[in-house]
């Protein structure tokens, strides 16, 4: 090769390298789409709602996460809730390492399961007995089966916009016209199964009363997110929660509070303690696993005793009560019991929502926000929504624009206008101020 040819070759190579310096996130996403449907293992991760390329994270610490390009973000997703003490809290990491060194799993009882079950029952007085599973989906699916087995009834009631995992009977939306029969919200869910689910409006106590007046004796269970966090954040009206308890008691239906998100998130006693409502069954997940797959359902002893091997309602799990997951959960639950933990979370969440609201107001942007304990909702709207329909009428395009601008500024919000956000005890007042300053800069050039 001549000297000239070599130089051209080198330049060409260099050019190709520079030209190829696209983001590692993009490269990873392109490759992932070849072997994983949509490139993700859970749909909302794909950024379809906000558009663009999802971030691939390589590490997290405290309130921060770093993507594949080593860019740092202040994280308001926290693995969708579990990271309530921040990423890689040393106590949690140590507990996981210690547990792993003793064996990753046995498929047989361990003392740590007793420890976490006892702790859950002590922290949440509505739990007389509890069973451990590995995901929120398993917890809700089994709670429904248990309620059906206990009551001998088939119909269940859920609320539009609430998410309870991806089991068949819960992927259901309101049917058009008829009040009674739900319709599948996913292909693959048989219409016959969806028809056993009645879908009502969240926060509509009168609608709930009407449904129970019509078919109360057929209803095995009502399942509800006591603070809805899967349609952005919708707080419950006190009269709605009171009506839930009343109609279930009156008609012998099982009230299931799905606290997979709100448990140990809105307060140490969950939403049931925060609002003073007593469920028959409770489902837990997210925070109680500390980032690893641990979840649970529990409640009234007479209902829980229907479960195999005591009773005839079957449920099982190879990985249920896995010692490493339980260790992460126990370590996390120890942290949240520290004096002032929830006061601190609440202060940070309030600082954030009030700061963002003030910034938007300065520039006349229709925006509002609220928080409950350590979770928050942001709305591009004039008023805080109280129902699914009102959430749907928020300005989604404005959120998407805001989301991407915040991402550029190093703030990671949930990649959808329809998800709640989370703060952790690792978020400092300075982190929140930095977030508000980023939003202020974005809002100042809005229009
Ligand atoms: C996340 C969530 C679930 C599902 O939990 P997975 O662990 O994702 O299966 C169920 N209910 C609520 C309220 C949730 O937020």
């Amino acid at each position: 090769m001549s000297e000239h040819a070599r130089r051209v070759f080198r330049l060409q190579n260099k050019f190709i390298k520079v030209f190829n310096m696209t983001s590692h996130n993009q490269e990873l996403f392109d490759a992932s789409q070849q072997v994983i449907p949509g490139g993700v293992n859970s749909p909302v991760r794909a950024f379809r709602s906000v558009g663009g390329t999802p971030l691939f994270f390589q590490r997290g610490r405290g309130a921060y996460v770093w993507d594949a390009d080593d860019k740092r973000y202040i994280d308001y997703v926290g693995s969708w809730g579990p990271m309530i003490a921040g990423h890689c809290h040393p106590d949690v990491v140590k507990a996981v390492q210690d547990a792993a060194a003793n064996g990753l799993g046995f498929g047989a009882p361990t003392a740590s399961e007793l420890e976490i079950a006892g702790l859950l029952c002590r922290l949440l007085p509505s739990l007389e007995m509890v069973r451990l599973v590995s995901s929120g989906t398993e917890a809700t699916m089994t709670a429904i089966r248990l309620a059906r087995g206990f009551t001998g009834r088939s119909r269940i009631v859920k609320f539009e916009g609430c998410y309870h995992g991806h089991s068949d009977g819960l992927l259901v939306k309101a049917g058009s016209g008829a009040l009674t029969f739900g319709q599948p919200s996913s292909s693959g869910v048989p219409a016959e199964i969806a028809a056993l689910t009645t879908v009502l409006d969240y926060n509509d106590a009168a609608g709930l009363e009407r449904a129970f007046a019509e078919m109360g004796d057929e209803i095995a269970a009502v399942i509800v997110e006591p603070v809805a966090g899967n349609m952005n954040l919708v707080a419950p009206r006190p009269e709605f929660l009171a009506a839930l308890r009343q109609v279930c008691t009156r008609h012998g239906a099982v009230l299931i509070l799905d606290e997979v998100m709100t448990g140990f998130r809105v307060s140490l006693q969950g939403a049931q303690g925060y609002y003073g409502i007593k469920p028959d069954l409770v489902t837990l997940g997210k925070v109680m696993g500390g980032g690893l797959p641990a979840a649970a359902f529990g409640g009234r002893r007479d209902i829980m005793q229907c479960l195999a091997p005591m009773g005839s309602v079957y449920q099982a799990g190879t990985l249920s009560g896995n010692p490493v997951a339980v260790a992460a959960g126990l370590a996390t639950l120890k942290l949240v019991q520290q004096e002032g933990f929830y006061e601190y979370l609440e202060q940070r969440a309030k600082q954030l929502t009030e700061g963002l609201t003030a910034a938007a107001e300065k520039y006349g942007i229709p925006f509002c926000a609220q928080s409950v304990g350590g979770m928050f909702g942001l709305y591009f709207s004039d008023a805080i929504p109280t129902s699914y329909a009102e959430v749907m009428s928020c300005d989604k395009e404005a959120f998407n624009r805001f989301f991407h601008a915040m991402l550029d500024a190093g703030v990671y919000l949930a990649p959808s206008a329809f998800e709640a956000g989370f703060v952790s005890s690792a978020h400092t007042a300075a982190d929140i101020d930095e977030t508000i300053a980023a939003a202020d800069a974005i809002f100042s050039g809005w229009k």
Side-chain angles (χ1 to χ4, degrees):
M1 209 188 285
S2 73
E3 179 59 28
H4 173 73
R6 261 202 297 274
R7 227 180 31 235
V8 169
F9 186 67
R10 269 204 306 273
L11 270 174
Q12 229 172 22
N13 257 351
K14 196 171 161 195
F15 176 75
I16 288 167
K17 272 200 193 118
V18 170
F19 192 75
N20 277 347
M21 268 195 20
T22 51
S23 108
H24 293 292
N25 293 307
Q26 187 65 52
E27 287 170 12
L28 288 166
F29 189 48
D30 291 344
S32 293
Q33 283 171 288
Q34 302 303 312
V35 286
I36 301 172
V40 293
N41 285 313
S42 198
V44 72
R45 296 180 194 172
F47 274 37
R48 290 278 167 101
S49 178
V50 290
T53 305
L55 303 185
F56 280 64
F57 290 115
Q58 49 167 318
R59 66 201 156 91
R61 183 153 296 255
Y64 311 124
V65 286
W66 284 264
D67 73 2
D69 294 321
D70 221 23
K71 176 170 169 166
R72 194 202 82 170
Y73 301 85
I74 303 175
D75 179 21
Y76 290 101
V77 180
S79 191
W80 300 97
M83 295 304 163
I84 198 160
H87 293 273
C88 287
H89 191 288
D91 293 5
V92 180
V93 172
K94 172 88 171 42
V96 166
Q97 285 169 339
D98 289 350
N102 281 327
L104 296 178
F106 306 101
T110 53
S112 65
E113 290 162 74
L114 168 63
E115 192 182 344
I116 200 167
L119 178 60
L120 294 174
C121 291
R122 187 160 62 73
L123 292 175
L124 301 176
S126 65
L127 299 188
E128 293 172 347
M129 299 186 101
V130 66
R131 177 156 287 174
L132 301 180
V133 291
S134 299
S135 70
T137 293
E138 271 183 273
T140 53
M141 178 182 81
T142 314
I144 297 284
R145 181 180 305 143
L146 185 55
R148 283 174 166 158
F150 176 74
T151 58
R153 302 172 182 174
S154 297
R155 178 158 302 284
I156 60 170
V157 170
K158 77 177 284 279
F159 298 91
E160 191 92 353
C162 285
Y163 176 70
H164 306 289
H166 62 273
S167 68
D168 283 353
L170 293 167
L171 288 183
V172 179
K173 59 186 180 200
S176 51
L179 170 72
T180 316
F181 306 111
Q183 283 176 359
S185 63
S186 159
S187 311
V189 173
E192 294 86 342
I193 290 183
L196 291 175
T197 303
T198 294
V199 182
L200 302 175
D201 285 330
Y202 195 82
N203 266 334
D204 178 9
L208 179 70
E209 302 271 4
R210 274 198 305 279
F212 265 85
E214 190 180 305
M215 54 188 177
D217 301 344
E218 295 166 35
I219 297 170
V222 177
I223 186 166
V224 64
E225 285 183 72
V227 178
N230 286 286
M231 49 168 157
N232 204 326
L233 188 158
V234 176
R237 290 197 180 106
E239 64 269 26
F240 176 62
L241 293 180
L244 283 167
R245 183 61 277 172
Q246 270 168 21
V247 293
C248 286
T249 302
R250 196 185 312 138
H251 293 269
V254 175
L255 177 58
I256 305 170
L257 286 193
D258 181 358
E259 296 232 47
V260 170
M261 183 184 289
T262 55
F264 310 112
R265 167 55 64 182
V266 301
S267 85
L268 186 57
Q269 289 78 32
Q272 54 196 281
Y274 193 96
Y275 293 103
I277 174 173
K278 193 172 182 332
D280 300 308
L281 289 179
V282 179
T283 52
L284 296 166
K286 298 198 167 107
V287 171
M288 73 151 279
L292 288 186
F297 62 96
R300 271 166 50 185
R301 187 176 301 276
D302 57 338
I303 302 178
M304 290 301 286
Q305 283 176 337
C306 295
L307 210 54
M310 285 191 86
S312 56
V313 176
Y314 194 70
Q315 179 272 336
T318 304
L319 299 176
S320 293
N322 175 271
V324 182
V326 167
L330 277 170
T332 301
L333 292 179
K334 198 164 171 191
L335 293 170
V336 303
Q337 288 179 77
Q338 288 170 344
E339 186 68 35
F341 186 91
Y342 288 96
E343 286 77 2
Y344 181 84
L345 276 195
E346 206 159 297
Q347 280 167 15
R348 292 290 78 76
K350 281 226 160 11
Q351 182 192 349
L352 179 67
T353 53
E354 287 171 7
L356 293 178
T357 306
E361 204 175 306
K362 234 163 63 179
Y363 306 104
I365 296 162
F367 175 92
C368 47
Q370 68 177 336
S371 65
V372 182
M375 60 194 276
F376 64 84
L378 312 178
Y379 322 93
F380 282 86
S381 151
D382 288 319
I384 286 174
T386 60
S387 68
Y388 181 72
E390 285 176 18
V391 168
M392 286 301 132
S393 67
C394 293
D395 187 344
K396 183 177 170 239
E397 294 317 314
F399 173 82
N400 290 355
R401 213 177 124 196
F402 180 66
F403 169 83
H404 280 290
M406 289 294 270
L407 205 59
D408 284 345
V411 177
Y412 186 62
L413 298 168
S416 162
F418 309 115
E419 301 287 350
F422 306 103
V423 293
S424 78
S425 58
H427 286 76
T428 62
D431 291 325
I432 307 287
D433 281 340
E434 188 182 328
T435 307
I436 295 165
D440 191 293
I442 292 162
F443 287 152
S444 74
W446 203 243
K447 288 306 156 225

